[in-house]
Amino acid sequence: MTVPSFYLTTPIYYANARPHIGSAYTTIACDAIARYKRMCGYDVAFLTGSDEHGEKLRRAAEEAGVPVERFVAEKRELFKELWRTLGIGDYRFVHTSQNLDHVRSVQWMIERAQEAGYIEKKKYEGRYCIFDERYVAEGTAPATCDICGRPAELVAEDNYFFKLSAFQDRLLGHYRDHPEFVQPGYRRNEVRSFVEAGLRDISISRRRLKWGIPWPGDPEQVVYVWYDALTSYLTGIGFRGAERSEDFKKYWPQPAGAASSTTNPHAEVVHMIGKDILRFHAVYWPAFLWAAGLPLPKTIFAHGWIYYEQEKMSKSKGNVVYPEPVVAAIDELAGAKVGNDALRYYLLRDVVFGQDGNFSRDGLLTRYNADLANGLGNLSSRVLTMVSNSRGGAVPRPAPAEAPRRLFELSSKPHLIAVRQSYERFEFSDALTTIWGMLELVDKFLVEEKPWAATEAVGDQERLDQVLYAATESLRILAVLSHPVIPDATERIWQQLGQEGKLADQRIDQLEWGGLKPGTRVARPEPVFPRLDKKQAIERIENMEEEIRPPAPKEPVMPSEGKQPERAESSRLEAGATTPARISIDDFAKVDLRVGEVKTAERVAGTDRLMKLTVDIGSEVRQLVAGIAQNYTPEQLVGRKVVVVANLEPRKLRGVESNGMVVAATRPDGGPVLCAFTEEVPVGSRLK
Ligand code: MSP
């Protein structure tokens, strides 16, 4: 019997910056799906990777003063490291630059589309957004990208065009006949309306750029970065153009008639993506595949975005959340490896998958304590303690007498079916709500049955056997059901339950009440999720975040430069100091630089780097926040003259308003050196 295959992909991430919690979100969700599918007996290929071509990356590398090959290779490693930290299991990684296999795939795709008449060369005159790597349609807001709102650059060159318009009807027909193709349904409606409004042909090459895949037969051009990136979904499973691996034949649906011993007619392919890149996946990608004569994936699922405290994350706001400090701080305070499970559980439970969601450290710790420490962790130690104390550590054989009705409720099939259905639909939050509902039932069952009050009477002892069996079996079932989301702790519960083999190898689709063998010896319980002090944990996370923020030379002392586009800023800050373009004296005059005197200075609680200052700038006393706390003490600062940029827009850093910026030079080791005067100068004097 052929094992059904399941091929799941994350987007390939731009290799231009350290991944944050938003980029980790897709990978965490996919990891949960991959684990679930493996537990259903599927042969799963799970692909992630890095998107390494394009003008945006080349410029970021140039700004960093690093050869682009090295720049992307270093960033690529940051992703792999994070996947290790997050316990992302058994995945394949594809990268698009310096990869000859990928060059072959992309060039083959282009050649097939050319042969089929879907590509033509013509003059392109218009605007291009390098941040979204897309040509901006005429008729949108003038000269700005309608996705990110940034100014688009004027480009005039001979380009190869892809006849996207030729696929309009076929796309609409596909959305109609295959409602599973774009999910959730509301996203499908968006895509359909977009296509119905009419498709324009798109330029799929860039001239004179070097950092990309050469256009086959025309070395003056490189392939458009999205054509290149999307094709990585094929390269990642062994597609090499004309030559195809057995894996490719197994995981990708094959064209009719391409019989092979490994061809799997039921190959199921799911691309998981964020909502911002839906158009590329649901409109361009199917057309590129059709043009090359290849079958389509089954589903494109677009999830929502993660915001931080209801705001979009951006370096300029200083509110980017990275997963590593969250995991490390929780591990450290709990004295156990639980941070990864905590983060995964929180993100998949609190955010309805598909919709936008919010990240807050407070929310994370509340969930951790309520659902993991007091919920699953507490149940697990209670149950195992009872079996150890009352039955010498051996799971009792329940008497054949009629089980209490409550026991039946615990074991009832509808719960198991509901959880599986939710996982199948990627409704993690629903799956977890059902599982934790079952957990509450077990807690209630124990409160009602009071096994700790059982007497030596035979009747009581028989009932105790039943209750202990039911509670232990429930724990086993809960561990199996929640394993895809919280893999580490459930594996430990599995071992404590004295179960053989790895929990990951269990079949979730065959899970039934009664699988626990009486007589199984359980281990003495060890706390699975130690309770944490919320305030202390939040502070620790914040401190650790400070440690991994990009080092000081890459950020100004008080990183406030007005409203810069977010992604532009992120690549710029990651990339390091740049040589700014020359400006006129009038431009310089716009900066209000003043002599100020520090009146008070105190560290911002929970950070290592930030100092809150009040500074007299002549006309008023201002509150500022500066990233100098590692280099100056409050005592060194009070009474000192400093230079202040007085007309910056106010902004908040760690919730503290900063109304201006203190000027400093950056030492080679990254530390700031405050600008000072060697002669007397009155407070409030302007610098010019
Ligand atoms: N390189 C392209 C994808 C090419 S796939 C053939 C790209 N890369 S990206 O790094 O900018 O984004 C990768 C994914 O991260 C996208 O799905 C995007 O939606 C997701 N996210 C980035 N920030 C996010 C949040 N704050 N929240 C959730 N997902 C977010 O686009």
Side-chain angles (χ1 to χ4, degrees):
M1 208 187 74
T2 359
V3 178
S5 75
F6 184 75
Y7 177 35
L8 176 68
T9 65
T10 73
I12 57 167
Y13 300 96
Y14 284 126
N16 65 343
R18 169 181 281 285
H20 57 64
I21 212 130
S23 18
Y25 179 59
T26 325
T27 310
I28 290 175
C30 284
D31 184 65
I33 297 169
R35 286 174 191 270
Y36 169 76
K37 284 287 183 181
R38 288 192 178 111
M39 291 177 83
C40 289
Y42 281 82
D43 175 348
V44 176
F46 169 22
L47 182 80
T48 183
S50 51
D51 191 351
E52 302 179 351
H53 281 138
E55 191 50 10
K56 176 168 60 176
L57 272 152
R58 195 200 55 75
R59 287 192 194 180
E62 189 177 84
E63 285 170 11
V66 175
V68 64
E69 295 81 359
R70 206 177 91 206
F71 181 81
V72 295
E74 282 169 9
K75 297 289 179 274
R76 187 192 302 156
E77 287 314 306
L78 291 178
F79 282 89
K80 291 187 182 170
E81 255 172 52
L82 178 61
W83 306 151
R84 264 194 296 279
T85 305
L86 297 179
I88 304 301
D90 214 352
Y91 66 89
R92 299 161 190 237
F93 194 96
V94 67
H95 61 96
T96 54
S97 74
Q98 301 155 284
N99 180 344
L100 279 178
D101 288 341
H102 185 57
V103 172
R104 283 167 69 194
S105 301
V106 173
Q107 292 188 338
W108 184 92
M109 292 280 288
I110 298 276
E111 282 163 354
R112 294 295 79 71
Q114 262 173 332
E115 279 166 15
Y118 290 116
I119 292 180
E120 64 177 350
K121 197 171 184 181
K122 58 181 182 182
K123 186 157 219 74
Y124 176 79
E125 274 181 29
R127 301 204 167 256
Y128 187 77
C129 169
I130 66 156
F131 297 99
D132 284 309
E133 300 283 12
R134 58 191 294 277
Y135 296 88
V136 173
E138 301 300 328
T140 58
T144 54
C145 170
D146 54 333
I147 288 188
C148 68
R150 294 187 187 87
E153 295 182 9
L154 204 52
V155 185
E157 55 186 35
D158 266 351
N159 278 179
Y160 291 96
F161 273 72
F162 181 84
K163 293 185 185 165
L164 189 62
S165 56
F167 292 94
Q168 179 165 357
D169 292 342
R170 197 167 169 190
L171 282 165
L172 290 172
H174 194 74
Y175 305 147
R176 185 190 58 235
D177 300 339
H178 299 274
E180 74 287 358
F181 183 63
V182 182
Q183 286 184 42
Y186 48 90
R187 300 278 175 222
R188 182 164 58 250
N189 296 341
E190 280 171 31
V191 171
R192 199 177 34 228
S193 308
F194 174 76
V195 175
E196 275 167 356
L199 292 175
R200 293 159 49 92
D201 296 344
I202 51 169
S203 166
I204 53 161
S205 72
R206 297 292 315 273
R207 231 178 130 230
R208 283 189 302 271
L209 298 185
K210 290 279 164 283
W211 187 239
I213 291 186
W215 189 271
D218 188 347
E220 284 236 302
Q221 306 258 353
V222 295
V223 175
Y224 172 45
V225 68
W226 269 99
Y227 212 109
D228 164 351
L230 288 160
T231 304
S232 73
Y233 293 144
L234 306 179
T235 310
I237 42 167
F239 177 83
R240 308 281 178 264
E243 184 196 309
R244 292 160 197 194
S245 71
E246 291 305 308
D247 262 9
F248 180 72
K249 293 181 203 157
K250 177 165 71 175
Y251 291 117
W252 198 269
Q254 297 300 305
S260 140
S261 56
T262 47
T263 295
N264 188 341
H266 305 297
E268 201 180 323
V269 179
V270 174
H271 295 313
M272 185 62 71
I273 57 165
K275 63 179 184 180
D276 53 319
I277 53 174
L278 180 58
R279 201 182 294 175
F280 301 104
H281 283 78
V283 183
Y284 291 13
W285 183 222
F288 296 164
L289 285 167
W290 279 328
L294 289 171
L296 303 194
K298 181 180 164 203
T299 295
I300 315 284
F301 191 105
H303 63 67
W305 267 49
I306 302 290
Y307 292 85
Y308 170 71
E309 306 283 14
Q310 316 294 348
E311 277 197 342
K312 192 164 177 175
M313 283 183 249
S314 92
K315 289 242 171 82
S316 61
K317 289 188 203 139
N319 67 354
V320 179
V321 181
Y322 298 98
E324 297 91 337
V326 173
V327 173
I330 295 182
D331 281 355
E332 180 189 290
L333 294 174
K337 201 170 163 299
V338 292
N340 180 33
D341 281 347
L343 180 64
R344 293 169 65 108
Y345 177 80
Y346 168 67
L347 286 175
L348 295 182
R349 170 84 194 244
D350 258 37
V351 182
V352 174
F353 202 64
Q355 294 174 18
D356 291 338
N358 188 47
F359 177 91
S360 88
R361 299 182 194 93
D362 192 282
L364 167 74
L365 268 305
T366 304
R367 275 277 176 217
Y368 175 85
N369 279 333
D371 295 6
L372 299 179
N374 293 352
L376 187 59
N378 184 43
L379 179 74
S380 154
S381 26
R382 272 171 87 193
V383 169
L384 294 172
T385 305
M386 286 189 294
V387 175
S388 296
N389 292 350
S390 322
R391 290 294 178 262
V395 175
R397 179 177 299 280
E402 198 182 310
R405 207 181 62 80
R406 309 266 311 130
L407 204 153
F408 172 75
E409 269 179 36
L410 298 180
S411 63
S412 69
K413 262 208 151 79
H415 288 135
L416 301 183
I417 294 170
V419 172
R420 288 198 289 255
Q421 272 176 352
S422 301
Y423 275 135
E424 289 293 335
R425 299 183 190 131
F426 313 142
E427 290 167 353
F428 304 103
S429 181
D430 283 356
L432 295 170
T433 306
T434 311
I435 300 170
W436 259 254
M438 293 167 77
L439 196 149
E440 272 171 34
L441 277 180
V442 185
D443 274 340
K444 246 167 90 187
F445 170 72
L446 289 175
V447 169
E448 282 169 13
E449 297 292 334
K450 299 189 184 44
W452 47 88
T455 68
E456 290 303 314
V458 177
D460 257 16
Q461 287 299 311
E462 274 183 4
R463 201 172 53 84
L464 184 60
D465 280 348
Q466 279 186 344
V467 172
L468 289 183
Y469 182 86
T472 322
E473 172 60 342
S474 302
L475 183 61
R476 185 188 72 94
I477 287 184
L478 292 171
V480 177
L481 290 177
S482 49
H483 182 71
V485 177
I486 44 173
D488 299 340
T490 47
E491 197 67 68
R492 285 201 294 276
I493 295 179
W494 191 251
Q495 302 308 324
Q496 293 186 23
L497 278 169
Q499 300 300 297
E500 278 167 20
K502 289 187 84 86
L503 170 48
D505 298 331
Q506 292 302 302
R507 288 292 291 261
I508 206 168
D509 55 336
Q510 293 169 7
L511 185 63
E512 274 188 359
W513 182 265
L516 179 66
K517 288 198 199 80
T520 304
R521 297 211 66 81
V522 304
R524 280 230 146 251
E526 277 172 33
V528 195
F529 290 114
R531 241 192 104 77
L532 294 176
D533 179 279
K534 195 199 275 186
K535 194 163 162 277
Q536 188 194 16
I538 291 175
E539 273 176 23
R540 190 68 191 120
I541 294 172
E542 286 176 348
N543 280 335
M544 286 193 166
E545 272 167 357
E546 288 301 321
E547 284 162 25
I548 77 152
R549 272 189 205 291
K554 299 181 179 173
E555 278 183 81
V557 168
M558 210 297 285
S560 167
E561 298 132 69
K563 284 199 171 57
Q564 288 277 349
E566 273 139 20
R567 278 208 232 174
E569 188 139 44
S570 78
S571 57
R572 189 166 43 75
L573 290 177
E574 274 297 321
T578 62
T579 309
R582 285 179 185 265
I583 56 167
S584 70
I585 188 75
D586 294 341
D587 287 335
F588 177 69
K590 288 181 197 154
V591 185
D592 183 7
L593 289 170
R594 299 237 216 125
V595 176
E597 186 178 306
V598 179
K599 293 291 172 198
T600 64
E602 64 178 283
R603 292 176 192 282
V604 175
T607 77
D608 292 337
R609 218 167 53 90
L610 299 182
M611 186 80 82
K612 183 167 89 177
L613 309 171
T614 49
V615 180
D616 182 355
I617 56 165
S619 50
E620 63 188 293
V621 176
R622 288 276 187 90
Q623 176 173 297
L624 310 177
V625 178
I628 54 175
Q630 283 166 326
N631 306 77
Y632 293 90
T633 61
E635 298 72 43
Q636 288 172 316
L637 293 166
V638 175
R640 179 176 175 142
K641 297 247 171 67
V642 288
V643 175
V644 172
V645 185
N647 61 338
L648 274 181
E649 300 226 8
R651 58 185 296 248
K652 279 195 173 168
L653 284 165
R654 288 305 159 90
V656 183
E657 180 159 292
S658 185
N659 196 358
M661 181 174 103
V662 179
V663 176
T666 305
R667 281 196 314 247
D669 69 354
V673 178
L674 287 174
C675 187
F677 298 92
T678 49
E679 292 151 68
E680 259 322 300
V681 54
V683 164
S685 312
R686 264 202 84 171
L687 279 81
K688 41 188 184 174

